[in-house]
Amino acid sequence: QACTQKYIVKNYFYYYLFKFSAALGEEIFYITFLPFTYWNIDHSVSRRMIIVWSIVMYIGQVSKDILKWPRPLSPPVVKLEMRTNAEYGMPSTHAMAATAISFSFFIATMNLYKYPLELGLAAAFVFSTLVCLSRLYTGMHTVLDVIGGALISAVLLVLLYPAWDTIDHLLLTSPFCPLFSIVVPLVLCYNYPKLDYYSPTRGDTTTILGAAAGATVGFWLNNKYAASAYTSESVQPGFPLVTSAMVFVLARFFVGILVVLLTRWLMKSMVLGVLGYRYKFPIRDLEARRRLEVEVPYKFVTYSSVGFTATVIVPLLHELLGLL
């Protein structure tokens, strides 16, 4: 469905604020913030965030296609986005992701770093609230969609929290971790709920589970074969923004994100090329790329490579360049 309504922006502050806030629940944020925490803050924080994020997002995406609640009608609302308009509305996965990431980050860091707990709680609340409000402003969700998404995410976070340490320990030490991390997400992606028309939810879910699978295999390999490249000392308690520390933080980030984006581009081109040859379709054929036998392996391999690169290749490069 295409958005054909024309609109006039009368308040550019709200417009850019909520357009930016909406981006905090999309791939551009995931592919920058989650690796950033791994490279510059603490491994354990990053692992817990990725565990919660992948579980919450899978449940949210599947719930949409099971419930099949429509998005707000346009008109009367004006929809400022096109890509996700084909998805169902309830629950808002933007709200779920924002709640899961912000509050899991707060919970995971509050005992590692010395900072006012009130400030951390307020930051998590503001972050998630901005993302939730952005879904209303852009016309993509109803109030009920947003509240439902935030509440589901909060409940899942409460249920998962007692098992964090156990799950983390198993992912780091179990000899079955690599096999489990690849096979289970693939089975879930291939058995995703079927719809009568194409929706990007299956592809987005495959992207998320693929990235988490690659990162999890990387966590396991690092724990088994390599010394921890980063510790909580990478950013000192209280997050002081001293000049020398910030230079290393920024250097690690820009080097890492360049490698991650290059990996995504290379793997996407290679995998699509192989699948195009196998199933006899041109790489730019969008309809062919939406087929189950193409979309799932293409996105899973691409983004599992991204997750693996972020957790294994980039740290090795950081060490080689003396950026630790």
Side-chain angles (χ1 to χ4, degrees):
Q1 300 176 8
C3 177
T4 58
Q5 278 189 282
K6 296 181 180 180
Y7 59 87
I8 298 174
V9 179
K10 295 183 177 180
N11 190 314
Y12 281 95
F13 173 76
Y14 288 146
Y15 179 78
Y16 288 113
L17 172 65
F18 291 123
K19 290 285 282 185
F20 173 77
S21 299
L24 298 178
E26 298 173 358
E27 181 185 347
I28 184 64
F29 175 73
Y30 304 144
I31 209 170
T32 52
F33 180 72
L34 294 176
F36 179 88
T37 62
Y38 190 78
W39 301 329
N40 291 302
I41 298 181
D42 191 274
H43 278 185
S44 64
V45 174
S46 182
R47 290 196 304 268
R48 284 160 172 75
M49 289 174 64
I50 289 173
I51 291 169
V52 172
W53 169 66
S54 58
I55 294 174
V56 164
M57 288 299 288
Y58 175 75
I59 291 174
Q61 296 284 69
V62 169
S63 298
K64 279 187 177 184
D65 290 339
I66 291 176
L67 293 173
K68 297 183 178 180
W69 287 20
R71 289 186 181 270
L73 292 176
S74 176
V77 305
V78 176
K79 295 185 177 180
L80 305 187
E81 296 180 11
M82 298 283 287
R83 180 182 175 276
T84 58
N85 197 35
E87 296 180 8
Y88 288 109
M90 175 61 131
S92 167
T93 46
H94 272 71
M96 293 183 72
T99 303
I101 288 176
S102 59
F103 283 94
S104 62
F105 181 81
F106 166 66
I107 294 169
T109 57
M110 65 181 184
N111 293 323
L112 287 176
Y113 299 99
K114 295 179 181 178
Y115 64 85
L117 294 184
E118 297 82 1
L119 180 62
L121 186 61
F125 180 79
V126 169
F127 178 91
S128 56
T129 300
L130 280 175
V131 175
C132 290
L133 290 176
S134 75
R135 306 316 289 158
L136 302 178
Y137 182 87
T138 56
M140 303 310 296
H141 284 286
T142 65
V143 174
L144 186 59
D145 294 342
V146 170
I147 293 175
L151 286 178
I152 293 171
S153 188
V155 170
L156 290 172
L157 192 56
V158 170
L159 294 175
L160 288 170
Y161 177 70
W164 268 14
D165 292 338
T166 302
I167 296 172
D168 191 49
H169 178 73
L170 289 173
L171 292 180
L172 291 178
T173 60
S174 173
F176 302 106
C177 173
L179 181 63
F180 179 87
S181 300
I182 297 297
V183 172
V184 172
L186 270 177
V187 170
L188 293 176
C189 292
Y190 274 108
N191 291 277
Y192 192 83
K194 293 179 175 60
L195 297 176
D196 296 331
Y197 64 94
Y198 177 79
S199 168
T201 49
R202 185 184 65 203
D204 291 345
T205 303
T206 305
T207 294
I208 292 164
L209 295 184
T216 302
V217 173
F219 297 150
W220 184 85
L221 283 174
N222 286 337
N223 183 69
K224 189 172 181 63
Y225 297 107
S228 179
Y230 313 106
T231 67
S232 58
E233 294 178 357
S234 296
V235 179
Q236 296 294 333
F239 302 99
L241 302 182
V242 295
T243 305
S244 59
M246 284 306 299
V247 168
F248 279 93
V249 166
L250 293 175
R252 283 194 291 265
F253 174 73
F254 285 115
V255 168
I257 205 65
L258 179 63
V259 174
V260 164
L261 293 176
L262 181 61
T263 299
R264 183 179 66 165
W265 176 75
L266 285 173
M267 293 306 299
K268 179 179 179 180
S269 301
M270 289 174 57
V271 176
L272 277 178
V274 171
L275 291 171
Y277 177 79
R278 168 66 177 83
Y279 294 106
K280 310 300 181 186
F281 68 87
I283 293 179
R284 297 186 181 277
D285 187 343
L286 183 59
E287 288 302 316
R289 286 162 56 174
R290 290 174 170 179
R291 286 153 43 188
L292 174 68
E293 66 271 21
V294 175
E295 184 176 59
V296 170
Y298 139 55
K299 293 206 168 183
F300 192 87
V301 173
T302 298
Y303 285 92
S304 61
S305 301
V306 167
F308 184 83
T309 297
T311 54
V312 176
I313 307 301
V314 170
L316 291 176
L317 182 59
H318 285 167
E319 187 174 7
L320 183 65
L321 296 175
L323 296 175
L324 299 182

